[in-house]
Amino acid sequence: MIAFLQVLVNGILNGLVYALVATGLSLIWGVMDVINFAHGDYLMVAMYTSFWIGALLGVDPVLSWIVSGAFLFLIGALTYKLIIRYTVGRSAISALLATFGLSMFLKNVCLYLFSPNFRLLSKTVLGGKTIETGGVIFPVPQLVTALSALVVIVLVYYMVKKTRLGWAIQATAMDKEAAELMGIDTERIYLLVFGLGGSCVGIAGGLLPSYLAVHPEVGLLFGLLAFVIVAMGGFGSIPGALFAALMVGLVESFSGFFIAPVFKYVAVFALYLLVVMVRPKGLFGW
Amino acid sequence: MKRKIERKDWLLFALIILFALLPAIPGIRENSLTMHVILMIFLMASMSQSWNIVGGYCGQVSFGHSVFFGIGAYGAAMAVVKYGMTPWPGALAGAFLAAGIAVLISWPVFRLSGHYFAIATFAIVEIFNRLFMVWYWVGGAIGLDYSITEQGIVNFVWYQSKVGYYYGALVLLGLVFGVVRWMERHRIGYYLRAVREGQETAEALGVDSTKAKLSAMAVSAFLAALCGAFFAQYNYRVDPPMVMSLDMSMKFVLVTILGGTGTLFGPLVGAAVLVPLQEYSRALLGGLGGGVDLIIFGLLIILVVVKQPKGVVGIFSYLRRRMVERESVGKEND
Amino acid sequence: MALLEIHDLTMKFGSLVANDSVSFSVEKGQIVGLIGPNGAGKTTLFNCVSGFFPPTEGKIFFNGEDVTGLPAHAIARKGAVRTFQVVHPLSEMPVLDNVLVGSFLREKDIDRAHELAWECLRNCRLEDLAHRLAGDLTIGQKKRLEVARALATRPLLLMLDEAMAGLTTTEVKESVELVSRLKDRGLTLLIVEHIMEAIMPIADKVVVLDGGIKIAEGPPQDIINDERVIKAYFGEKYSRRLKESGQAKRYE
């Protein structure tokens, strides 16, 4: 029973972090119909940023997420301005391929600069602490990261649904031309959304060095999972992304524990295939 | 209008003759690295060309081709390592198996559109990758290592000279390019392109798009598997990260994109750019290389996709079209 | 036995009834016009007959066979081919290749397929544009390409969906001539049109849809005077005025 609860908790904690990463991607995909293949590598860049701030300046991830969040906003905006802008309206795949090029670029620049070594912060404010209730262990870094992720997701969702900016974003997502006819500067919206998507990842990546080691390949899996989550949750749906992310976290956790660690991701990908076979547009897609 | 041998056919023919004669040039045959680079270009071009059938001509951008490559590679490797045979039956078995699996998997997946389809193909590669990692019979994560056998064409393995591999790769190139050129001129080629340009329109003209897509997949997978088998023989070993991974799949795609999807020579041009880039930077920069070649490749991809989505070949055909248009403006009566 | 028989065709999209129990037939060698105000269900009818949607209810018989619900490519293979209201050129392929896609349906051999394609190009006066990319053509040329492509499949029944929209007056005249020529060669045509001067002079019979139901069917001269047709196009008030002045007749 305890084992079951522990696996459950782990799954949820991981799932929430995946959800934040996926929220950024879902926003981008929902508004611009673009799959940002470099999304996982954004996470890697954010983690390196946070790591180096911690290692060189002694600032803890609980604070440096602000910097990485802002930095990734910038990178997201630049990505839009320099690359994505030209692929909008072209075939759906062109943005995916361009961002794949970007992903390769980012990953190998970091590989070149920082070597393939795994790097972990030796001393962090949250590191190593745990909270225990009823025999179930809540590692503090994971817990804080997961809860922060949830907060950010709720804030983003609120922003999209309730604020004027959010409505402008929704309008642009539904019909770009109509939105323009109503005076919305869709170029600026696209720029903002890409930046926002980046900062979601940036915040997640900023907090992760509390417990996760950074290396050039770290983004790969997060990225893949983010795609799967967003696709499962449905094009452009943040609640969908959250739900799917929790499902992924749980499937990963349970299959890893009860079947075998290697099957963690087989189960996740198989789940994706199952979902889209039944609902080709994802669970909540439109 | 009689069918005639077109410029394209002459070009292909000439290139193959040229490639066949290259090793006769002093300095090439002896230089192991040069031979390696050139035959890798042939292999990469063949791989990309096989993907081109489905991704370029038919417009179904799949990232799953590594699965077929891997099945071919393992087919050959299993025959040699586990059963002590020559690789040929294993390679053929792998090719047919790959084609069969391609059809089986594609049939439901083709129902998905755009991004959902692409991600499904990622998912499939990853699943196969993990399965092969834990499958004891095929060597699991360690893979299969070749032991020394008698060299020659029967075992399709050589140890000192690369000449055998060179001509083997050239034959493979000729086969794959020949098949695609044949498809270009015959009904299937037109049907594939029609499906790419407008599936509904194609259906209205009698094209069974499902059958067309599945046929393309089967041929494409078959050829990709043969490439995998060649690779296994050249590399003397196979393991899942090497032959059955997303990275390998992306190579198939990106080389074609760089050169020009849906064109006959695109894959060759793309391979001719990427392979030397990769091999020479690895050789020159060595450990320090840390993926410098990939940094450049990444930038090139971004450039191509943004600026000239039709790839290098696209630039040529754009120029040629301008010339044809200038000619026909005079004759046009509209 | 008519070439095309439509029995009680009904097409519903959720609660929207696009076609409601429509029945009519097209005899071999006829030109039948299908007219009606916008939203009457004409293109939906085409989509059902040509296999793009399976109808909710009703049956479609082509050449004596029940083709209800068959997929589009199967119906095209049987000889019923349609063009699209919004042109769908295969943009990145040359004009010749576009038509070849059609001709390969009947001629597997490359040379014969090419011959058939060139014949159709000549019929539609597109031979000089054969090597241009289809996407680069003007709208009038694209419309001709739609027809040329469909012709290349050697159809028994050609279904044209607003093939004249967007054409200049000269182009319309040429299209009408082409359609007459095609009829002389034995082709049967079902034509959706809004441009009355294009369809009325050449149609053997006209079917009128409004709001999903068939409101009239008959020779052109009867249709233009039919009170219900006038009401559908011009509204209640105008048709009443016409009736009072004795100019409208009701036809069964």
Side-chain angles (χ1 to χ4, degrees), chain A residues 21-31 39 230 234-238 241:
Chain A
V21 176
T23 296
L25 191 65
S26 178
L27 213 58
I28 294 174
W29 187 347
V31 176
H39 209 68
V230 174
F235 176 93
S237 164
I238 294 180

Side-chain angles (χ1 to χ4, degrees), chain B residues 12 19 25 115 224:
Chain B
L12 184 61
F19 293 150
I25 301 179
H115 297 312

Side-chain angles (χ1 to χ4, degrees), chain B residues 43-63:
Chain B
L43 180 63
M44 197 75 228
S46 304
M47 284 159 63
S48 307
Q49 185 68 284
S50 74
W51 179 86
N52 199 14
I53 296 173
V54 173
Y57 286 98
C58 198
Q60 313 297 313
V61 179
S62 141
F63 297 100

Side-chain angles (χ1 to χ4, degrees), chain A residues 200-216:
Chain A
C200 283
V201 178
I203 294 173
L207 291 166
L208 282 174
S210 287
Y211 63 92
L212 208 61
V214 58
H215 61 104

Side-chain angles (χ1 to χ4, degrees), chain C residues 26-27 41 46 55 57-58 66-67 97 101 124 138 161 174-175 183-184 188 202 212 214 216 218 239 241 248:
Chain C
V26 178
E27 301 289 332
F46 259 37
E57 281 161 40
D66 183 352
V67 297
D97 288 11
V101 174
C124 297
T138 68
D161 196 348
E174 285 166 356
S175 300
K183 179 190 170 172
D184 292 338
T188 311
I202 51 172
K214 183 178 85 172
S239 88
R241 228 190 284 155

